[in-house]
Amino acid sequence: MGNELAGKVAVVAGGTRGASRGIAIELGRRGAFVYVTGRTSGQERSEVDRPETIEGTVGKIADAGGEGAAVRVDHLDSAQVAALAERIDREHGRIDILVDGIWGGDEYIGWGKPVWELPLDGTLRMIRLGIDAHVITSHHLLPLVIRRPGGLVVEMTDGTAEYNAKFRVGTSLGFYVAKAAAHHVALAEAHELREHGCTAVAMTPGWLRSEAMLEHYGVTEENWRDALVREPHFCISESPVFVGRAVAELAADPDRHRFTGQTLNSGQLAKIYDVDDVDGSRPDAWRYIDEVQDPGKAADATSYR
């Protein structure tokens, strides 16, 4: 890994935590200037109500030897996203890499409950966060992406297109619709960007060891395997660095347009680009979920990482 993205301008929308934070850090590590946007900034908190901030992400980019700027933006507010576009245009005149990781809807999921048993406001909020915010962001920022051929747009989601082709039993209608929409958003963007020489994909991590997930299991990145006592299938989990490295490799690939319109995943790109997670392994989470977890087999990631 080198400085292949030096001189590139990246935006990671929703880069406060999780996969998006991991991607922002790795893009910065590889030389891109990264605008990190989100709602949790300073003392301001989004409904997620967690301590991670966009400034914290930029600090980690700096620790990795990169540069970036934190900009507080609610991506459901068109005026705020328009102001972000104006600032980037003024400061850099273009966007080379746009990663849309906006979410924040976990508290509304209502695992396994039918839509009529869940608060309607929460269901609609998930859909707005997963669809409306992404469309608003595309409307205002894609004109900066098409300034030069070669731009890359990454729509973050949860699940491969194949896995989400059927309803995600155990989730909920609002979550499923919000996440499955990313596949179609990427398809549409790929078509609209094609004549400008730009690429659009959807991207999913596997079972992510996000800050919230580690906290949920009462572990840290250093001792995460202690969580296997409570959830054996957590053995296939991956750090945010893994998906970050995968996306950074994609952004540095001069032949990335071959993927346009597809939904990619971290395990898939790790094989293509010869990328490992922080522990030296290469988890293939979605294959594991399909072949081991969902069929009800005993947890064993031996052949999957």
Side-chain angles (χ1 to χ4, degrees):
M1 295 184 183
N3 218 34
E4 299 90 339
L5 300 179
K8 300 295 185 182
V9 180
V11 176
V12 179
T16 315
R17 60 185 67 83
S20 298
R21 170 175 273 193
I23 292 168
I25 294 167
E26 295 308 312
L27 291 175
R29 189 190 308 277
R30 298 287 286 273
F33 183 93
V34 187
Y35 288 94
V36 180
T37 70
R39 294 173 293 163
T40 301
S41 170
Q43 299 304 309
E44 299 286 342
R45 293 289 181 270
S46 71
E47 66 235 71
V48 179
D49 196 26
R50 287 195 55 82
E52 300 85 18
T53 65
I54 53 176
E55 291 84 4
T57 300
V58 171
K60 290 182 178 295
I61 292 171
D63 291 342
E67 294 183 278
V71 186
R72 188 173 189 273
V73 179
D74 180 346
H75 284 260
L76 278 171
D77 186 323
S78 179
Q80 290 187 34
V81 184
L84 170 67
E86 291 170 1
R87 172 175 171 174
I88 298 170
D89 190 12
R90 183 172 64 252
E91 295 178 352
H92 285 97
R94 71 187 191 283
I95 296 171
D96 301 298
I97 305 159
L98 171 60
V99 179
D100 195 338
I102 301 160
W103 178 230
D106 284 355
E107 69 174 277
Y108 306 116
I109 294 175
W111 300 97
K113 292 184 179 180
V115 66
W116 59 86
E117 291 184 6
L118 294 169
L120 180 58
D121 287 349
T123 296
L124 295 177
R125 180 69 174 171
M126 277 192 291
I127 291 172
R128 290 210 70 210
L129 288 165
I131 301 178
D132 291 17
H134 287 243
V135 174
I136 291 168
T137 301
S138 295
H139 173 80
H140 290 292
L141 297 189
L142 290 188
L144 292 173
V145 174
I146 64 174
R147 289 277 175 86
R148 292 184 182 178
L152 172 66
V153 178
V154 179
E155 295 285 346
M156 297 301 294
T157 189
D158 185 319
T160 65
E162 295 77 15
Y163 196 79
N164 286 340
K166 293 189 292 186
F167 178 66
R168 297 273 294 274
V169 176
T171 63
S172 63
L173 184 154
F175 173 85
Y176 176 70
V177 169
K179 293 302 183 180
H183 311 308
H184 303 286
V185 170
L187 279 170
E189 289 177 338
H191 174 78
E192 294 179 348
L193 292 171
R194 190 180 302 273
E195 67 178 280
H196 300 281
C198 299
T199 297
V201 300
M203 179 73 192
T204 180
W207 195 340
L208 192 70
R209 294 196 299 273
S210 64
E211 299 88 349
M213 188 60 69
L214 291 172
E215 185 176 290
H216 174 73
Y217 286 121
V219 294
T220 65
E221 181 57 37
E222 288 67 37
N223 71 342
W224 66 267
R225 290 183 180 276
D226 290 352
L228 304 192
V229 175
R230 179 174 170 187
E231 174 47 77
H233 289 302
F234 200 54
C235 64
I236 196 58
S237 66
E238 63 193 57
S239 78
V241 174
F242 190 53
V243 66
R245 289 174 174 173
V247 172
E249 288 288 346
L250 177 67
D253 182 356
D255 195 30
R256 61 186 168 273
H257 191 68
R258 69 190 188 274
F259 298 118
T260 198
Q262 297 182 32
T263 297
L264 309 172
N265 67 81
S266 49
Q268 170 192 11
L269 290 185
K271 292 178 182 177
I272 294 171
Y273 295 122
D274 197 26
V275 168
D276 292 334
D277 205 345
V278 291
D279 61 1
S281 71
R282 194 172 292 178
D284 191 355
W286 290 103
R287 187 168 66 89
Y288 175 92
I289 291 168
D290 187 53
E291 297 178 4
V292 179
Q293 183 174 330
D294 284 358
K297 297 180 182 179
D300 183 1
T302 302
S303 300
Y304 299 89
R305 62 181 315 138

